[in-house]
Amino acid sequence: MAHPWRVLVGRAEEGRTPRRIGSITASRRSGGGASADAPAVAGGTLEFPTRTGRRSDVGGYDEATVLFDLDGVLVDSTASIRAGLTAWAVERGVDVGAVLEHHHGRTDVDLVRLFAPHLDPLTEAPRIEDHEAAAGDGVRGVPGARELLTELDARGRPWAIVTSGSDRIARSRIATAGLPLPRVLVTADQVAAGKPHPAPYLLGAERMGAAPARCVVVEDSVSGVRSGLDAGMPVVAVASTTGAEDLAHATTVVADLEAVAALLLP
């Protein structure tokens, strides 16, 4: 299958100097100084400083077992998540702005522990799910997601989904988006510690029967990238819901699923 898509950023590997992202506009958050790994804006693109990245045992991504995050990578559920979290925060008297700013990549249980420690997280997480399910009409597949998963299956490439959402929510969003259900689906219900802890991706690799170094993670959140890296896996970060500069710790940063497909299916 030929892909006319272009890779939007170079690999950050030992002995190689990346990296230029084409056609990504910087969206640096206000406040705080630039870190040593922060990209510099130059001529409408982002340029990252040279650094050493993790190298996969497979030598590239075209043979790796693929572990996808769900929300923001394969499914656009932003409207549903924000509406559900807003409803829960208002109901519980929690700071809506803080919840919306820091929810990305966290399980509902961890979110409750962070912003409502006086409440029982195991009781509150289902309430958040109920609010998100009620606002689920806005869920849709990310452009190219179904085609990418279909092509991986056609080539016999193993893939799984590792999400911070519950099993109930994940299965609902996968079905609503019209995506195939993976053979392995790791959800927040199945791990004691969610992202950024490496446990979710380590469990995904284990259930797929693959060594961590022979997997590649596709993520869109800062905490998800950290989870994959700490699990010993290279991480392709998609700058869809998070600014590319905030994902600079990933092995590779790309703009969208077309660029991911170009890496996975050369």
Side-chain angles (χ1 to χ4, degrees), residues 49 51 55 67 75 80 82 105 115 174 194-195 197-198 206 255:
R51 61 188 176 87
R55 187 187 291 273
L67 304 180
V75 169
S80 172
R82 291 181 66 88
F115 290 105
I174 290 169
K195 305 171 188 178
H197 195 280
E206 177 185 342

Side-chain angles (χ1 to χ4, degrees), residues 53-112:
R54 294 173 181 259
R55 187 187 291 273
S56 170
D57 285 350
V58 297
Y61 301 140
D62 55 323
E63 298 177 5
T65 294
V66 189
L67 304 180
F68 291 100
D69 178 44
L70 180 61
D71 299 291
V73 173
L74 298 176
V75 169
D76 181 357
S77 53
T78 301
S80 172
I81 291 173
R82 291 181 66 88
L85 289 175
T86 297
W88 171 78
V90 170
E91 178 184 63
R92 293 307 195 196
V94 179
D95 186 332
V96 174
V99 169
L100 294 180
E101 181 178 358
H102 297 287
H103 76 88
H104 196 42
R106 299 180 189 273
T107 65
D108 291 337
V109 167
D110 287 341
L111 196 68
V112 174

Side-chain angles (χ1 to χ4, degrees), residues 18-58:
R19 349 208 285 148
R20 183 187 265 315
I21 296 179
S23 306
I24 300 179
T25 303
S27 57
R28 192 177 300 279
R29 293 177 181 174
S30 60
S35 69
D37 280 340
V41 180
T45 64
L46 295 178
E47 293 182 344
F48 289 80
T50 302
R51 61 188 176 87
T52 298
R54 294 173 181 259
R55 187 187 291 273
S56 170
D57 285 350
V58 297

Side-chain angles (χ1 to χ4, degrees), residues 113-174:
R113 286 172 177 159
L114 182 63
F115 290 105
H118 58 291
L119 299 176
D120 178 6
L122 298 182
T123 300
E124 294 304 308
R127 296 185 69 86
I128 295 175
E129 286 183 25
D130 288 342
H131 284 301
E132 291 186 7
D137 292 343
V139 174
R140 66 181 187 275
V142 169
R146 187 181 343 183
E147 292 79 5
L148 173 55
L149 299 180
T150 299
E151 184 63 18
L152 287 171
D153 282 337
R155 297 192 186 195
R157 288 285 303 282
W159 62 275
I161 292 177
V162 179
T163 176
S164 295
S166 70
D167 187 82
R168 168 195 173 193
I169 289 293
R171 290 178 182 273
S172 173
R173 288 175 180 162
I174 290 169

